[in-house]
Amino acid sequence: IGFCEMILQAPEVYGQLSPTLLGDLEVVLRNSHYLSRLVDDVLDLSQIEANKMALTRERATLSELVEAAVVAARPLFHSKGLYLEVEPLPDVPPLFCDRTRIRQVLLNLLTNAGRFTEHGGVRLCAWQEGAEVVVSVADTGPGIPAEAARSLFQPFRQVDGSLRRRYGGSGLGLSICKSFVEQHGGRIWLQSGEGVGTTVFFRLPFDPPAPADDGV
């Protein structure tokens, strides 16, 4: 990854490189990033299953978490000509959470929605319900049959194998999101139907009860 980035950022240092070679290097870099993310996801999943995923909790505002995820996800939407909209966020108390993990949940949901959407786009909304905040990520994609939706939060599961080949992805994103949300005392679920898009919801308490050893 490092060498590909160096060559693509300053190809003149390496002499006369043809456009074809530079194009091939971009493919190598893109696929290397994919494999790197896949390894990270597998490591996260193994730590979760071994109950060794430690959380570093601190106060974080919902707006900063959403903004960081949106900035990271926007290039995907731009490349596909899709919109990515964020409804005005409510003025809610800061979350006592692991900001890295909750940002990862938001980013996973946004990129998942963008990857499976061909036309239209994705809208993120949030609102307060008592001592919790609820976040929704709604896409205009093809939707998911009810029988398939029930298993999507299991590791390595997608609607079918052809979708993985067409859209990419490892089938780990939703499973990891579920684990991170539940570690924070929250819950995640989705609503969908064929031809009507998919909306994923998750709710988090502002002050979740901390486990005795924080998962270590």
Side-chain angles (χ1 to χ4, degrees), residues 37 41 68-77 80 82 84 103-117 122 124 137 139 158 167-169 172-174 177:
R37 290 192 298 269
D41 284 347
V70 168
V71 168
R74 196 170 292 283
L76 168 65
F77 289 80
K80 297 182 67 175
L82 304 172
L84 174 54
R103 184 172 63 239
Q104 186 175 348
V105 169
L106 290 163
L107 180 58
N108 281 357
L109 295 183
L110 290 174
T111 54
N112 219 40
R115 194 167 63 245
F116 288 94
T117 300
V122 173
L124 184 149
V137 176
D139 66 51
Q158 288 187 338
Y167 294 106
L172 288 172
L174 287 179
C177 287

Side-chain angles (χ1 to χ4, degrees), residues 173-189:
L174 287 179
S175 173
I176 290 172
C177 287
K178 180 175 183 291
S179 296
F180 287 163
V181 168
E182 291 179 348
Q183 281 186 306
H184 284 81
R187 185 170 71 90
I188 189 169
W189 70 100

Side-chain angles (χ1 to χ4, degrees), residues 134-192:
V134 182
V135 179
S136 69
V137 176
D139 66 51
T140 58
I144 303 168
E147 61 275 10
R150 287 190 288 269
S151 64
L152 281 183
F153 290 102
Q154 299 175 13
F156 300 104
R157 295 300 296 271
Q158 288 187 338
V159 176
D160 60 49
S162 64
L163 281 181
R164 184 176 303 175
R165 287 193 296 271
R166 179 178 177 186
Y167 294 106
S170 62
L172 288 172
L174 287 179
S175 173
I176 290 172
C177 287
K178 180 175 183 291
S179 296
F180 287 163
V181 168
E182 291 179 348
Q183 281 186 306
H184 284 81
R187 185 170 71 90
I188 189 169
W189 70 100
L190 64 82
Q191 294 178 356
S192 186

Side-chain angles (χ1 to χ4, degrees), residues 23-67:
D24 289 344
L25 285 173
E26 289 179 353
V27 174
V28 172
L29 180 60
R30 183 172 64 248
N31 290 343
S32 297
H33 277 301
Y34 168 76
L35 289 174
S36 177
R37 290 192 298 269
L38 177 59
V39 170
D40 287 343
D41 284 347
V42 171
L43 291 173
D44 281 345
L45 189 66
S46 65
Q47 286 187 306
I48 292 166
E49 292 181 342
N51 199 29
K52 294 184 179 295
M53 175 63 72
L55 299 180
T56 303
R57 291 186 171 98
E58 58 186 328
R59 292 292 174 185
T61 64
L62 179 64
S63 59
E64 68 175 290
L65 297 172
V66 169
E67 181 181 3

